[in-house]
Each structure stands twice: as C-alpha cells, then as structure tokens.
Amino acid sequence: MDKNMNVLIVDDYRTMLRIIRNLLKQLDFNNVDEATDGQEALAKLRAGNFGLVISDWNMAPMTGLDLLKEVRADARLKNMPFIMITAESKTENVVAAKQAGVSNYIVKPFNAETLKEKIEKVMVHA
C-alpha cells in the first residue's frame, strides 16, 4: 500500500476533518487534502491526483452519497477507492452506499485501527 498517495478527506465539520487527518497521520499517511463539501471535493478530485477518498455522508449542499455517485459517473475517477463515514448505521443507508459503488463504510465513532483495516481492504482491490 502506497502511504505517499494523495488522500482527500471530505467533511463539513472541521473538527472531524482534524480527527481524520490525525488518524491518517498515525497511520503514516501525510499527503492529505481536505474539502468541506461534496462540490469542493469533486472539483479537487477532477483537478488533482488522489488515490483515496474518505467522505462523510451528511453534508450540504452535496451529500457524501451524491459525491460518490458523481465520482462513479466520472470516467477518470470511477475506480477510485471511496470510503464513506457516517453516524448512521441504518441498513438502508449501507445498501444505498453499496448500490452507488462505495468501496467501504465506517460508522462513527471509530479509531485508527478501524480506519487502517478499511483502507487496507479497499487498497487491495484498487
């Protein structure tokens, strides 16, 4: 797994961005960029060279699910590993994310070990 790849974290809650960034740092991922909504994230993804997206579900005006659908519809981005983070563990949300093509799913709260496991799982298939 390439720990030098660029990772984009997306969350409209700055404290959560800081937490995820710190967890990634513990896992030796240092090339981390962030976006505070889906539209900003999509612009960065289309302009940059990212190896992984870690996105919150609940954001406005574009949700994490909408962002995922846009990424999967973009020919250049469609195979990018995409991990969704949410406080919701409702089955219909998990199903909706799976149908939209999510690579993996993390329910808050989580720790560095959980994040590491999920990243390793999606990067094996990338």
mmCIF file of all heavy atoms in Angstrom, residues 11 16 20 22 28 56 58 62-63 78 85 97 106 111 114 116 120:
data_model
loop_
_atom_site.group_PDB
_atom_site.id
_atom_site.type_symbol
_atom_site.label_atom_id
_atom_site.label_comp_id
_atom_site.label_asym_id
_atom_site.label_seq_id
_atom_site.Cartn_x
_atom_site.Cartn_y
_atom_site.Cartn_z
ATOM 1 N N ASP A 11 -15.508 16.515 4.792
ATOM 2 C CA ASP A 11 -16.457 16.618 5.897
ATOM 3 C C ASP A 11 -16.762 18.090 6.109
ATOM 4 O O ASP A 11 -15.862 18.928 6.023
ATOM 5 C CB ASP A 11 -15.862 16.005 7.175
ATOM 6 C CG ASP A 11 -16.928 15.637 8.204
ATOM 7 O OD1 ASP A 11 -17.781 16.505 8.517
ATOM 8 O OD2 ASP A 11 -16.917 14.498 8.692
ATOM 9 N N MET A 16 -14.065 17.165 12.699
ATOM 10 C CA MET A 16 -13.967 15.797 12.169
ATOM 11 C C MET A 16 -12.829 15.698 11.154
ATOM 12 O O MET A 16 -12.099 14.693 11.132
ATOM 13 C CB MET A 16 -15.302 15.389 11.536
ATOM 14 C CG MET A 16 -15.459 13.904 11.358
ATOM 15 S SD MET A 16 -15.445 13.040 12.944
ATOM 16 C CE MET A 16 -14.828 11.452 12.412
ATOM 17 N N ILE A 20 -9.789 12.997 11.516
ATOM 18 C CA ILE A 20 -9.426 12.035 10.465
ATOM 19 C C ILE A 20 -7.992 12.267 10.001
ATOM 20 O O ILE A 20 -7.220 11.325 9.819
ATOM 21 C CB ILE A 20 -10.411 12.109 9.276
ATOM 22 C CG1 ILE A 20 -11.825 11.739 9.731
ATOM 23 C CG2 ILE A 20 -9.961 11.177 8.141
ATOM 24 C CD1 ILE A 20 -12.912 12.047 8.708
ATOM 25 N N ASN A 22 -5.540 13.474 11.754
ATOM 26 C CA ASN A 22 -4.649 12.969 12.807
ATOM 27 C C ASN A 22 -4.569 11.448 12.796
ATOM 28 O O ASN A 22 -3.490 10.874 12.988
ATOM 29 C CB ASN A 22 -5.095 13.470 14.186
ATOM 30 C CG ASN A 22 -4.798 14.954 14.365
ATOM 31 O OD1 ASN A 22 -3.949 15.516 13.683
ATOM 32 N ND2 ASN A 22 -5.520 15.592 15.267
ATOM 33 N N ASP A 28 0.738 6.954 9.096
ATOM 34 C CA ASP A 28 1.809 7.371 8.176
ATOM 35 C C ASP A 28 1.334 7.856 6.811
ATOM 36 O O ASP A 28 2.075 7.789 5.838
ATOM 37 C CB ASP A 28 2.862 6.259 7.991
ATOM 38 C CG ASP A 28 3.564 5.941 9.305
ATOM 39 O OD1 ASP A 28 3.835 6.894 10.065
ATOM 40 O OD2 ASP A 28 3.816 4.755 9.571
ATOM 41 N N ASP A 56 -17.514 12.046 4.546
ATOM 42 C CA ASP A 56 -18.682 11.999 5.414
ATOM 43 C C ASP A 56 -19.924 11.863 4.538
ATOM 44 O O ASP A 56 -19.926 12.263 3.371
ATOM 45 C CB ASP A 56 -18.749 13.294 6.241
ATOM 46 C CG ASP A 56 -19.849 13.248 7.291
ATOM 47 O OD1 ASP A 56 -20.066 12.174 7.887
ATOM 48 O OD2 ASP A 56 -20.489 14.289 7.520
ATOM 49 N N ASN A 58 -23.235 12.972 5.671
ATOM 50 C CA ASN A 58 -24.154 14.092 5.904
ATOM 51 C C ASN A 58 -23.488 15.441 5.712
ATOM 52 O O ASN A 58 -22.831 15.950 6.615
ATOM 53 C CB ASN A 58 -24.736 14.008 7.331
ATOM 54 C CG ASN A 58 -25.570 12.760 7.514
ATOM 55 O OD1 ASN A 58 -26.436 12.474 6.701
ATOM 56 N ND2 ASN A 58 -25.296 12.009 8.559
ATOM 57 N N MET A 62 -24.049 19.267 -1.217
ATOM 58 C CA MET A 62 -23.898 17.956 -1.851
ATOM 59 C C MET A 62 -23.493 16.931 -0.806
ATOM 60 O O MET A 62 -22.466 17.083 -0.152
ATOM 61 C CB MET A 62 -22.824 18.028 -2.956
ATOM 62 C CG MET A 62 -22.626 16.718 -3.693
ATOM 63 S SD MET A 62 -21.173 16.750 -4.777
ATOM 64 C CE MET A 62 -21.934 17.142 -6.323
ATOM 65 N N THR A 63 -24.297 15.889 -0.652
ATOM 66 C CA THR A 63 -24.009 14.864 0.359
ATOM 67 C C THR A 63 -22.863 13.953 -0.088
ATOM 68 O O THR A 63 -22.483 13.955 -1.258
ATOM 69 C CB THR A 63 -25.249 13.977 0.609
ATOM 70 O OG1 THR A 63 -25.501 13.209 -0.584
ATOM 71 C CG2 THR A 63 -26.468 14.793 0.990
ATOM 72 N N LYS A 78 -13.869 6.914 -11.712
ATOM 73 C CA LYS A 78 -14.819 5.866 -11.321
ATOM 74 C C LYS A 78 -14.230 4.694 -10.540
ATOM 75 O O LYS A 78 -14.942 4.059 -9.773
ATOM 76 C CB LYS A 78 -15.594 5.363 -12.537
ATOM 77 C CG LYS A 78 -14.754 4.584 -13.527
ATOM 78 C CD LYS A 78 -15.597 4.113 -14.681
ATOM 79 C CE LYS A 78 -14.745 3.273 -15.615
ATOM 80 N NZ LYS A 78 -15.352 3.074 -16.884
ATOM 81 N N ILE A 85 -17.959 7.671 5.585
ATOM 82 C CA ILE A 85 -18.030 7.726 7.046
ATOM 83 C C ILE A 85 -19.376 8.323 7.421
ATOM 84 O O ILE A 85 -19.792 9.329 6.856
ATOM 85 C CB ILE A 85 -16.908 8.611 7.625
ATOM 86 C CG1 ILE A 85 -15.547 7.991 7.304
ATOM 87 C CG2 ILE A 85 -17.080 8.782 9.135
ATOM 88 C CD1 ILE A 85 -14.377 8.831 7.760
ATOM 89 N N ALA A 97 -25.405 3.118 -0.202
ATOM 90 C CA ALA A 97 -23.985 3.385 -0.468
ATOM 91 C C ALA A 97 -23.382 2.254 -1.310
ATOM 92 O O ALA A 97 -22.633 2.508 -2.245
ATOM 93 C CB ALA A 97 -23.223 3.547 0.851
ATOM 94 N N ILE A 106 -17.574 3.197 7.121
ATOM 95 C CA ILE A 106 -17.162 3.270 8.532
ATOM 96 C C ILE A 106 -18.239 4.015 9.307
ATOM 97 O O ILE A 106 -18.675 5.090 8.903
ATOM 98 C CB ILE A 106 -15.827 4.034 8.712
ATOM 99 C CG1 ILE A 106 -14.705 3.364 7.916
ATOM 100 C CG2 ILE A 106 -15.456 4.118 10.188
ATOM 101 C CD1 ILE A 106 -13.377 4.118 7.974
ATOM 102 N N ASN A 111 -11.663 4.336 15.363
ATOM 103 C CA ASN A 111 -10.295 4.645 15.775
ATOM 104 C C ASN A 111 -9.326 4.372 14.614
ATOM 105 O O ASN A 111 -9.743 3.975 13.528
ATOM 106 C CB ASN A 111 -9.922 3.833 17.021
ATOM 107 C CG ASN A 111 -10.058 2.332 16.774
ATOM 108 O OD1 ASN A 111 -10.022 1.858 15.638
ATOM 109 N ND2 ASN A 111 -10.219 1.580 17.841
ATOM 110 N N THR A 114 -9.471 0.784 13.087
ATOM 111 C CA THR A 114 -10.606 0.570 12.183
ATOM 112 C C THR A 114 -10.325 1.224 10.840
ATOM 113 O O THR A 114 -10.530 0.616 9.787
ATOM 114 C CB THR A 114 -11.900 1.165 12.794
ATOM 115 O OG1 THR A 114 -12.134 0.550 14.060
ATOM 116 C CG2 THR A 114 -13.099 0.947 11.882
ATOM 117 N N LYS A 116 -7.448 1.934 9.515
ATOM 118 C CA LYS A 116 -6.371 1.189 8.856
ATOM 119 C C LYS A 116 -6.922 -0.062 8.162
ATOM 120 O O LYS A 116 -6.606 -0.329 7.005
ATOM 121 C CB LYS A 116 -5.320 0.797 9.897
ATOM 122 C CG LYS A 116 -4.159 -0.008 9.350
ATOM 123 C CD LYS A 116 -3.138 -0.242 10.464
ATOM 124 C CE LYS A 116 -1.938 -0.969 9.939
ATOM 125 N NZ LYS A 116 -1.922 -2.382 10.276
ATOM 126 N N GLU A 120 -6.837 -0.679 4.167
ATOM 127 C CA GLU A 120 -6.134 -1.850 3.620
ATOM 128 C C GLU A 120 -7.055 -2.678 2.739
ATOM 129 O O GLU A 120 -6.664 -3.140 1.672
ATOM 130 C CB GLU A 120 -5.570 -2.707 4.762
ATOM 131 C CG GLU A 120 -4.310 -2.092 5.350
ATOM 132 C CD GLU A 120 -3.784 -2.842 6.574
ATOM 133 O OE1 GLU A 120 -4.465 -3.750 7.085
ATOM 134 O OE2 GLU A 120 -2.682 -2.485 7.016
#
